[in-house]
Amino acid sequence: MNDYRALTRCPITRIGDIRAESEINEITGLVLLKQEKRVVTSPKNPLKPLHVFGIIIRDAEMDFIYVTCWGSREYIEHMASKFEIQSIVRIKNPIVKIKNFDSDDEVYRPWTPSDYCLVLNEPIGLIELTDESSRPDLISLASFPIRDHNDFYTLEDLVVDQRNKINQDANLLFCIREVKSVQEIKNRNGQMRSKLELIIFDQTKDYFKLNIWDKELIKFASSWLVKKTVIFAVDLRLYFNEYTKCLEASTTSRTIFTVNPDISEGYCLYKHAKTCQFAQTLPIIDQIKDKAIKTNIESLRKSLGQALLSEFVLIDAVITSFDIDSNLFLFSLKW
């Protein structure tokens, strides 16, 4: 027992060696995930909000761990500004905690194989960016998925069995067909959220929508290339969009992306993407390349009376009547 306690008090430098009583001065890893900063209200002190963000670091194929960083707004802003997803970072002075698998925190956190998590507190906890050239062994981990190479659905699987897939989580392997512009959307609580919509495809289906909500994931996805970037996505949430009447996917707090995964299925999809011709054309709304004007009927009526519009116009409206036999010409619509 004394030997064990002496061992656990020795400084730990590898994730796989972490135990409940481990003392960690610093530990280095590849950033698999970086989550958006958020503010949490403490029940003990509701007048003093807490600022927090989470990351996952990895130093071996099956050794990765969740790290939570707590502190003031200035501290969190400073820590988060130092690195991005796929950076190599050094975590200093973290506290080791045993996972509580029954807590809400674990339900909404990404899955990790470790029985522990790390916590950084202001001011002693630090995150430092490390020179990538000094750790080529960690850079190579970026292309290893965190799930088995064949643990995913094809897009055709989802569409064929969509009734049973609604509100389920799924792993997907896909390529990028289109990356749209980032939108700012107000949610039900009145808060503004950023959303990035992707059109994705694989060997079985040419068209499927994926919505990315987290700002850090949006920043990561904005650099993905059409027909060149292959993604292994873990824990996407599937839902039925009542507006478009289609099954779609969305990121959650548990989602992790692996870019250009080093698996045979990924290479096959990449080869397919380079030469494929899409049989299914994009809907008209997805073919708009230029920036569209979002307007209302009154503004549109005035514009039509003044000059011909050369811009694309988007209107959210309800059709109250549609007389297909009328000879009255208003304007034409392309569907």
Side-chain angles (χ1 to χ4, degrees):
M1 178 64 71
N2 291 335
D3 290 342
Y4 174 75
R5 288 179 177 174
L7 177 64
T8 57
R9 282 196 292 267
C10 293
I12 298 297
T13 60
R14 303 286 298 182
I15 293 173
D17 296 332
I18 293 175
R19 299 294 182 268
E21 299 178 18
S22 297
E23 177 185 317
I24 303 177
N25 293 329
E26 63 178 56
I27 196 163
T28 303
L30 170 79
V31 178
L32 281 185
L33 175 69
K34 179 185 178 186
Q35 295 177 321
E36 186 176 352
K37 302 182 295 292
R38 55 194 176 91
V39 181
V40 178
T41 301
S42 172
K44 297 180 180 179
N45 191 356
L47 298 179
K48 187 177 181 181
L50 301 173
H51 295 257
V52 60
F53 74 99
I55 66 174
I56 291 179
I57 61 169
R58 182 185 207 175
D59 65 6
E61 286 187 33
M62 285 309 300
D63 288 337
F64 46 98
I65 194 167
Y66 191 84
V67 183
T68 308
C69 189
W70 294 90
S72 65
R73 182 178 63 83
E74 293 77 13
Y75 172 78
I76 294 300
E77 293 268 354
H78 180 61
M79 289 296 104
S81 67
K82 292 183 175 183
F83 64 96
E84 307 293 343
I85 296 174
Q86 292 192 338
S87 296
I88 305 297
V89 297
R90 185 181 295 112
I91 306 294
K92 289 190 171 184
N93 306 317
I95 298 170
V96 177
K97 288 194 173 183
I98 301 174
K99 281 183 182 177
N100 180 0
F101 292 96
D102 296 326
S103 71
D104 289 341
D105 285 343
E106 288 305 319
V107 172
Y108 294 105
R109 285 177 181 173
W111 174 85
T112 58
S114 176
D115 291 330
Y116 309 95
C117 59
L118 301 179
V119 177
L120 291 175
N121 290 317
E122 184 180 10
I124 62 171
L126 296 174
I127 302 177
E128 295 181 351
L129 186 65
T130 299
D131 183 9
E132 296 180 358
S133 62
S134 65
R135 295 300 303 268
D137 58 317
L138 296 181
I139 289 295
S140 64
L141 295 174
S143 59
F144 284 95
I146 64 170
R147 301 290 169 84
D148 290 340
H149 67 96
N150 57 358
D151 182 12
F152 64 88
Y153 289 105
T154 66
L155 298 181
E156 186 178 51
D157 291 336
L158 304 184
V159 175
V160 169
D161 192 30
Q162 68 175 2
R163 181 174 298 179
N164 294 321
K165 295 294 188 289
I166 296 174
N167 295 327
Q168 299 296 312
D169 289 344
N171 305 334
L172 299 179
L173 180 71
F174 57 83
C175 194
I176 307 301
R177 179 167 177 176
E178 185 174 351
V179 179
K180 293 186 172 292
S181 300
V182 179
Q183 296 176 291
E184 297 296 326
I185 297 176
K186 184 180 290 187
N187 63 16
R188 295 176 181 176
N189 298 325
Q191 299 174 326
M192 297 301 297
R193 295 288 308 277
S194 298
K195 185 185 86 165
L196 177 65
E197 184 179 286
L198 304 181
I199 308 299
I200 62 175
F201 70 96
D202 64 9
Q203 292 102 320
T204 67
K205 190 169 177 59
D206 292 343
Y207 178 91
F208 196 83
K209 282 190 177 181
L210 167 61
N211 295 309
I212 300 179
W213 291 96
D214 186 283
K215 285 184 179 179
E216 296 296 338
L217 290 179
I218 288 174
K219 189 187 302 183
F220 186 44
S222 296
S223 63
W224 297 347
L225 303 176
V226 173
K227 299 182 73 172
K228 291 184 178 180
T229 302
V230 175
I231 302 295
F232 192 114
V234 171
D235 285 335
L236 295 172
R237 175 55 57 92
L238 304 174
Y239 68 98
F240 187 77
N241 189 323
E242 293 290 348
Y243 182 69
T244 61
K245 304 300 180 185
C246 293
L247 188 72
E248 298 180 1
S250 177
T251 56
T252 70
S253 59
R254 297 172 58 87
T255 301
I256 296 177
F257 293 123
T258 301
V259 178
N260 295 329
D262 187 14
I263 55 176
S264 59
E265 295 85 351
Y267 286 111
C268 290
L269 178 54
Y270 177 74
K271 187 175 180 180
H272 166 79
K274 288 197 300 183
T275 59
C276 72
Q277 298 296 323
F278 298 120
Q280 182 179 355
T281 59
L282 295 176
I284 290 294
I285 190 66
D286 290 319
Q287 294 182 33
I288 297 176
K289 302 297 182 183
D290 301 323
K291 186 176 181 180
I293 299 173
K294 191 166 185 179
T295 186
N296 54 41
I297 293 175
E298 182 62 28
S299 299
L300 181 61
R301 182 184 292 117
K302 292 178 181 179
S303 299
L304 289 172
Q306 295 171 359
L308 292 176
L309 289 173
S310 60
E311 299 91 351
F312 290 104
V313 175
L314 302 180
I315 299 180
D316 293 330
V318 176
I319 298 176
T320 57
S321 64
F322 190 19
D323 187 357
I324 62 174
D325 297 319
S326 173
N327 292 324
L328 180 62
F329 175 77
L330 295 176
F331 48 86
S332 63
L333 298 176
K334 292 183 179 180
W335 300 94

